[in-house]
C-alpha cells in the first residue's frame, strides 16, 4: 500500500540540521504514527513520503519554506517571567515553552534574561533551517473513520482520545 492522504503511516526518522542530529525516533524506541494529509507533518515531509511503501528507506531534504518557515525579523517579544514555568533556569539560546494568552503553547528561543522579564524570539527554533530527514517506513495502512474524523493517527495500544 502506498502512503498518501488518509493513510496511516508508522515510521522511524532522524532529523539532521546543519550536519547535526537534532532528534530521532530511534532514541525513543517508538516509531512515529501519523495520519497523512491532515497537517500532522511539515508539508515537505508529507510530500516526500507520498507514494512510498512499508520497508522503504528514504532521505528527504526540505527547504525552510516547506519546513518550519523562513525566519522573520521583529518577532522578539518581552515577556514577564511569571509566564514561564521555570524562569529561574532560563538562559540565552535555550528553547522553552511559553503558554499563550489565547491558549495553547509555543516553542520559543530565549534571547535575553532580565530581572523580571525574558526576551524571546517567537520564530520556531527550526525556522529558516534546511531539514534532512532519514526515514524508514514500517507500516502503511488505511486510516480508520475515527482517525480521519479526529485528524490524527491512533497508535496501537494508545488510549482513545
Ligand atoms: Zn483521536
Amino acid at each position: 500500500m502506498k502512503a498518501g492522504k488518509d493513510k496511516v503511516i508508522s515510521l522511524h526518522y532522524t532529523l539532521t540540521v546543519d550536519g547535526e542530529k537534532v532528534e530521532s525516533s530511534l532514541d525513543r524506541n517508538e516509531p512515529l504514527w501519523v495520519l497523512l494529509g491532515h497537517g500532522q507533518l511539515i508539508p515537505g515531509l508529507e510530500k516526500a513520503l507520498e507514494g512510498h511503501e512499508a520497508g522503504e528507506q528514504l532521505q528527504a531534504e526540505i527547504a525552510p519554506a516547506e519546513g518550519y518557515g523562513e525566519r522573520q525579523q521583529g518577532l522578539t517579544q518581552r515577556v514577564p517571567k511569571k509566564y514561564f514555568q521555570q524562569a529561574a533556569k532560563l538562559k540565552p539560546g535555550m528553547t522553552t515553552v511559553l503558554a499563550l494568552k489565547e491558549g495553547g503553547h509555543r516553542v520559543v528561543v530565549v534571547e535575553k534574561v532580565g530581572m523580571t522579564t525574558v526576551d524571546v524570539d517567537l520564530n520556531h527554533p527550526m525556522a529558516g533551517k534546511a531539514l534532512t530527514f532519514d526515514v524508514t517506513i514500517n507500516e502503511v495502512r488505511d486510516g480508520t473513520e475515527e482517525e480521519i474524523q479526529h485528524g490524527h493517527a491512533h497508535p496501537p495500544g494508545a488510549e482513545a482520545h
Side-chain angles (χ1 to χ4, degrees):
M1 183 176 290
K2 290 186 193 303
K5 185 167 168 52
D6 295 341
K7 303 287 188 221
V8 167
I9 187 169
S10 103
L11 54 86
H12 272 295
Y13 71 93
T14 299
L15 170 60
T16 307
V17 174
D18 299 333
E20 275 183 54
K21 186 176 102 173
V22 175
E23 60 171 28
S24 175
S25 61
L26 296 166
D27 296 339
R28 296 192 293 269
N29 242 328
E30 273 182 26
L32 179 69
W33 288 84
V34 285
L35 176 66
L36 294 177
H38 291 260
Q40 281 205 275
L41 295 177
I42 54 169
L45 190 53
E46 285 249 353
K47 270 186 212 165
L49 292 170
E50 217 170 283
H52 289 280
E53 300 183 50
E56 283 192 71
Q57 289 189 348
L58 57 113
Q59 188 177 69
E61 302 267 2
I62 297 168
E66 296 274 276
Y68 293 100
E70 304 288 353
R71 284 195 84 71
Q72 295 175 47
Q73 297 297 317
L75 283 187
T76 298
Q77 197 164 312
R78 185 155 289 178
V79 182
K81 276 188 173 172
K82 64 179 178 187
Y83 290 106
F84 297 90
Q85 279 189 345
Q86 294 188 304
K89 291 186 178 169
L90 296 178
K91 291 195 178 73
M94 266 178 69
T95 298
T96 187
V97 176
L98 182 62
L100 300 177
K101 273 186 218 139
E102 59 269 30
H105 295 83
R106 182 146 183 181
V107 181
V108 298
V109 179
V110 176
E111 286 188 337
K112 204 172 114 188
V113 182
M115 289 290 286
T116 57
T117 60
V118 180
D119 289 355
V120 296
D121 182 353
L122 296 181
N123 279 294
H124 189 282
M126 290 288 143
K129 305 274 189 191
L131 314 172
T132 303
F133 283 94
D134 286 288
V135 174
T136 304
I137 300 174
N138 299 327
E139 190 181 329
V140 180
R141 63 165 169 82
D142 286 316
T144 65
E145 222 170 278
E146 201 186 16
E147 286 172 319
I148 291 167
Q149 253 178 26
H150 290 191
H152 55 226
H154 292 165
E159 286 172 41
H161 59 284

